[in-house]
Amino acid sequence: MIVLSADDNLKNSEEGEKIKILACDDSKLVRLKFRRILEEVELGDYIVEFLEAEDGEEGIELYKEHKPDLLFLDIVMPEKSGVEVVTDVIEFDSEAKIVMVSSVGTKENLEQALNNGATDFVQKPLTKNKIENLLPKLI
Amino acid sequence: MFSQFFGNYLLENNLITKEELREVLNVQEETRVKLGVLAVNLGFMKAVDLEKVHAKQATEDKLFGEIAVEMGFLTEEQLEKVLSAQSKEHHLLAQTLIDKEIMTLSELEKTYQNYKEENELTDEEFEAVKKNNIEKIVDSFLDFGSAEANEFYKDYATLVLKNIVRFISTKFRIKEMKVIEKFDVTWGAYQQAAGSRNLFTAVVAEENEFVDFGSQYADMSFEEVTELVQDSVAEFMNLLNGIFVVNCSDQGIKLDLEPPVPIGNGTFKFSEQAYLISLELEFGDVQFIVSEQLPDIVE
């Protein structure tokens, strides 16, 4: 997939369906790795606009501003946890597709996130394989 | 791993020189049965898939198993089986020591016996060490006092070692474990959890080792401590502790994990027991700290 940042100018000649993905994780490394995985994923001619948020508040803000097709959300973050962010995003957009990405897959966390409106859960670390299995279900 | 444990023992007892040990370990590496061949022999993979993995491996700096799983040719369970079939490392070590005429077979037997006695290992424990069984290694080398504390901390130490093997280095040695009250950190990352018990965990190292640790986990090459290096070490802790919290939750112990925090030049002060486990990895030493008490942290 071709991955562009929000401020990259899309060339008109670029062909393919455009999708917006917002990654919300307090770790810069995790966001960087995620972007690289998306670049490697082979799922046809998608052009991904990749947005990054480093905490829950910024995630909600960017979601409202850009309305991404997919939101990947960490659970354990400072200030606002991912599970809380789900509630706010769903309140704004009940159709939001939210994938929880976390190392803490406890039943409580999963149930709460899914009850709040999350679509799916992926156990960290993110790998190309996991993303290739997941994306076709969601886009 | 057994080679590191046992090799170190040979070294400490002047039964082998540093140069000889290095040579033995190198030869062993070369003679190691190839994972791919084993996977095909065990019927998990086709030869044609093996070629695809090798082609990919030529362009990516990743382990065979990792790529095979990513490409969907092996399941995690199959990989475990292949790895355990491969880990007859002790046979290779013995063979190499004898081939290189460093020891005779009867000398080796006697040395095994001494090693067992000095480490107070039963036959069964020694077999586990030889087969790189991490649970048994933790059980044999670490003792955290009371039975209840022992179980909690040993579970944690086992998970640390499994994640070290999975993400950082297949070669490790437990150098020592001690009780600490205070620890001065050069570089590190800590993470706390609170709930029906408290948990404080940290990984700490000197600068070079910290950078190497971060590089290994991120699978990127770093030269100095940067935000990405700190994030990488912190994310290793996050992953490790995430699994631990899930395991605890399955046992009815509820823990809420806080985000991991990188630290440079600080001090942890404990008023109760905290354990420091020193590990020697391929690139140097790192220490893990674990305690049921949340310390004062001075930065």
Side-chain angles (χ1 to χ4, degrees), chain B residues 6 10 15 101-114:
Chain B
F6 189 66
L10 296 176
L15 295 166
E101 294 180 353
I102 294 168
M103 286 184 163
T104 64
L105 186 57
S106 59
E107 281 170 342
L108 184 66
E109 258 174 7
K110 200 163 163 262
T111 314
Y112 275 166
Q113 194 55 41
N114 293 340

Side-chain angles (χ1 to χ4, degrees), chain B residues 9-278:
Chain B
Y9 174 82
L10 296 176
L11 204 60
E12 280 170 2
N13 290 280
N14 296 319
L15 295 166
I16 190 170
T17 66
K18 254 190 188 159
E19 291 68 34
E20 281 172 334
L21 178 60
R22 198 168 301 139
E23 196 186 345
V24 167
L25 293 177
N26 283 340
V27 170
Q28 217 185 280
E29 199 95 314
E30 285 161 20
T31 49
R32 204 161 228 266
V33 187
K34 293 277 186 296
L35 273 184
V37 175
L38 270 178
V40 173
N41 284 348
L42 290 167
F44 296 149
M45 276 177 77
K46 296 200 182 90
V48 57
D49 299 333
L50 183 60
E51 280 168 27
K52 287 181 198 158
V53 176
H54 282 155
K56 185 127 199 188
Q57 210 179 1
T59 61
E60 282 180 42
D61 184 24
K62 282 187 187 167
L63 297 173
F64 172 86
E66 206 180 332
I67 297 181
V69 170
E70 272 182 18
M71 294 177 81
F73 294 136
L74 282 181
T75 63
E76 294 273 357
E77 291 74 33
Q78 287 172 333
L79 178 61
E80 291 263 321
K81 283 187 187 150
V82 177
L83 285 171
S84 71
Q86 190 203 30
S87 69
K88 301 208 172 13
E89 186 187 348
H90 56 291
H91 295 315
L92 283 173
L93 176 71
Q95 193 59 55
T96 315
L97 286 168
I98 293 161
D99 287 351
K100 293 272 158 196
E101 294 180 353
I102 294 168
M103 286 184 163
T104 64
L105 186 57
S106 59
E107 281 170 342
L108 184 66
E109 258 174 7
K110 200 163 163 262
T111 314
Y112 275 166
Q113 194 55 41
N114 293 340
Y115 178 77
K116 261 167 43 181
E117 281 166 16
E118 285 175 34
N119 285 294
E120 294 177 18
L121 300 176
T122 62
D123 285 343
E124 193 202 351
E125 284 168 346
F126 186 54
E127 283 306 310
V129 173
K130 283 205 281 190
K131 287 180 185 148
N132 298 333
N133 180 330
I134 290 177
E135 279 90 355
K136 284 284 172 61
I137 289 172
V138 167
D139 228 24
S140 311
F141 285 85
L142 301 178
D143 183 4
F144 297 94
S146 81
E148 196 208 359
N150 223 0
E151 198 185 329
F152 188 69
Y153 286 120
K154 277 186 177 176
D155 282 350
Y156 191 77
T158 304
L159 202 59
V160 167
L161 295 178
K162 283 186 173 174
N163 279 280
I164 288 284
V165 170
R166 182 172 173 203
F167 294 110
I168 310 295
S169 161
T170 52
K171 292 177 185 168
F172 73 82
R173 185 171 73 83
I174 301 173
K175 281 181 85 174
E176 65 164 345
M177 187 190 76
K178 60 181 179 187
V179 174
I180 53 166
E181 287 173 1
K182 180 173 168 278
F183 192 88
D184 292 321
V185 183
T186 308
W187 291 103
Y190 64 89
Q191 191 168 27
Q192 310 190 128
S196 47
R197 289 174 100 138
N198 285 333
L199 179 70
F200 172 85
T201 66
V203 58
V204 293
E206 293 303 316
E207 180 148 340
N208 289 340
E209 287 77 10
F210 186 78
V211 171
D212 286 343
F213 195 100
S215 299
Q216 286 293 333
Y217 181 71
D219 199 11
M220 294 161 87
S221 182
F222 298 113
E223 299 292 325
E224 57 185 353
V225 177
T226 60
E227 188 190 345
L228 282 179
V229 172
Q230 292 188 310
D231 270 6
S232 174
V233 178
E235 191 58 23
F236 173 87
M237 290 309 280
N238 192 36
L239 206 84
L240 163 71
N241 289 324
I243 300 168
F244 188 69
V245 164
V246 173
N247 290 348
C248 283
S249 150
D250 292 343
Q251 295 169 30
I253 303 168
K254 194 182 174 306
L255 290 171
D256 277 323
L257 197 59
E258 291 173 15
V261 184
I263 180 170
N265 286 323
T267 303
F268 302 136
K269 284 182 192 158
F270 299 89
S271 56
E272 285 167 44
Q273 278 194 331
Y275 295 97
L276 179 85
I277 304 168
S278 297

